[in-house]
């Protein structure tokens, strides 16, 4: 596949695979990479998504090194992740603006927001605090930040939100207890939850992708 160049016309730089089949009901999935990665990482999954989906992968605004980006810096030195709250809040604001811009540019009626690790964390934060912005959340190997929970309003829009969680039982980076805690929290919040655990580490498996594709087409 020819390497695509970054688009620079919106608040975040991004890669895009436009939908190849046109319908009156335009859908997209926005994929957010993990810490220390970049927009190319999850964009490699674009070919797995249905032809009627536009697939978009933005670059995190926090520069960690050459080709390495994040949505916020995180410190694991205490054994528990400690986040840079200012960067997280700014990135959340940027992604919310990006979703609105993408909806307008591509004339979208449905947007699914998903990601891996820190990208999944950002997807949870935005979907739960602004459920009216997205149709659903795809969370691969993530967690729900304690910091955003006071902002979550348990309203009708939240109950319409579709959420898919996929997490490895052998994940040593963000252990599976984070997914199980998220499951309990989301069940209490009343979202439309689909939950999968798999015997894998901190990764996205082919089986996990297949489950996502089936979920998107329901």
């Amino acid at each position: 596949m020819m390497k695509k160049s970054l688009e620079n016309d919106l608040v975040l730089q991004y890669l895009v695979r436009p939908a190849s089949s046109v319908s009156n009901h335009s859908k997209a999935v926005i994929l957010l990479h993990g810490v220390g990665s970049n927009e190319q990482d999850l964009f490699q999954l674009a070919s797995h998504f249905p032809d009627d989906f536009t697939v978009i992968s933005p670059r995190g605004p926090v520069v960690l090194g050459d080709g390495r980006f994040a949505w916020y810096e995180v410190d694991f030195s205490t054994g528990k992740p400690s986040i840079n709250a200012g960067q997280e809040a700014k990135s959340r604001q940027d992604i919310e603006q990006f979703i609105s811009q993408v909806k307008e540019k591509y004339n979208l009626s449905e947007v699914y927001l998903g990601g891996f690790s820190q990208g999944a964390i950002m997807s949870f934060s935005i979907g739960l605090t602004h459920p009216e912005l997205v149709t659903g959340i795809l969370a691969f190997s993530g967690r729900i930040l304690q910091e955003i929970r006071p902002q979550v309003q348990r309203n009708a829009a939240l109950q319409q939100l579709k959420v898919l969680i996929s997490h490895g039982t052998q994940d040593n980076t963000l252990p599976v207890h984070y997914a199980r805690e998220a499951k309990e929290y989301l069940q209490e919040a009343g979202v439309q939850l689909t939950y999968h655990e798999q015997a894998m580490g901190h990764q996205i498996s082919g089986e996990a992708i297949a489950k996502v594709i089936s979920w998107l087409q329901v």
Side-chain angles (χ1 to χ4, degrees):
M1 187 171 85
M2 189 175 71
K3 190 170 180 179
K4 290 209 166 206
S5 56
L6 275 170
E7 301 282 343
N8 291 298
D9 58 327
L10 305 180
V11 66
L12 296 170
Q13 295 178 297
Y14 64 101
L15 296 172
V16 59
R17 185 212 73 178
S20 59
S21 65
V22 181
S23 71
N24 295 326
H25 194 69
S26 301
K27 297 176 285 189
V29 60
I30 297 173
L31 300 172
L32 307 178
H33 63 75
V35 64
S37 189
N38 60 50
E39 68 286 346
Q40 295 283 351
D41 187 22
L42 297 185
F43 194 67
Q44 297 175 64
L45 302 175
S47 62
H48 295 280
F49 286 89
D51 291 343
D52 60 340
F53 272 79
T54 295
V55 180
I56 297 167
S57 181
R59 172 184 286 184
V62 178
V63 181
L64 300 180
D66 187 26
R68 299 177 63 245
F69 302 90
W71 305 100
Y72 56 86
E73 290 170 298
V74 58
D75 180 5
F76 282 95
S77 61
T78 63
K80 287 187 175 180
S82 172
I83 74 167
N84 182 316
Q87 289 175 340
E88 188 277 333
K90 175 65 167 64
S91 284
R92 192 153 25 100
Q93 189 177 36
D94 286 348
I95 297 166
E96 288 162 11
Q97 185 181 351
F98 183 72
I99 293 169
S100 297
Q101 290 176 331
V102 160
K103 281 183 172 178
E104 185 175 353
K105 180 176 178 179
Y106 295 98
N107 192 27
L108 300 169
S109 53
E110 280 187 28
V111 170
Y112 290 83
L113 181 65
F116 173 70
S117 195
Q118 195 179 86
I121 293 169
M122 296 305 296
S123 299
F124 274 138
S125 294
I126 290 158
L128 291 173
T129 58
H130 288 284
E132 73 284 353
L133 271 181
V134 295
T135 302
I137 300 169
L138 323 173
F140 297 105
S141 308
R143 68 187 182 101
I144 299 174
L145 294 179
Q146 292 291 344
E147 290 84 347
I148 67 104
R149 297 185 192 204
Q151 300 175 47
V152 178
Q153 296 181 16
R154 302 194 175 188
N155 53 25
L158 190 67
Q159 291 171 356
Q160 292 297 313
L161 187 69
K162 301 174 188 173
V163 182
L164 183 142
I165 292 176
S166 176
H167 211 107
T169 55
Q170 295 151 27
D171 191 331
N172 293 322
T173 305
L174 289 174
V176 71
H177 71 78
Y178 284 118
R180 292 169 182 168
E181 181 194 20
K183 177 185 179 183
E184 191 174 319
Y185 178 85
L186 293 169
Q187 284 173 333
E188 288 176 5
V191 306
Q192 298 176 39
L193 179 65
T194 301
Y195 182 88
H196 296 293
E197 287 181 13
Q198 294 166 274
M200 63 181 184
H202 194 63
Q203 65 193 96
I204 301 175
S205 68
E207 183 185 347
I209 291 295
K211 288 181 185 298
V212 166
I213 303 311
S214 297
W215 179 78
L216 285 171
Q217 292 175 312
V218 170

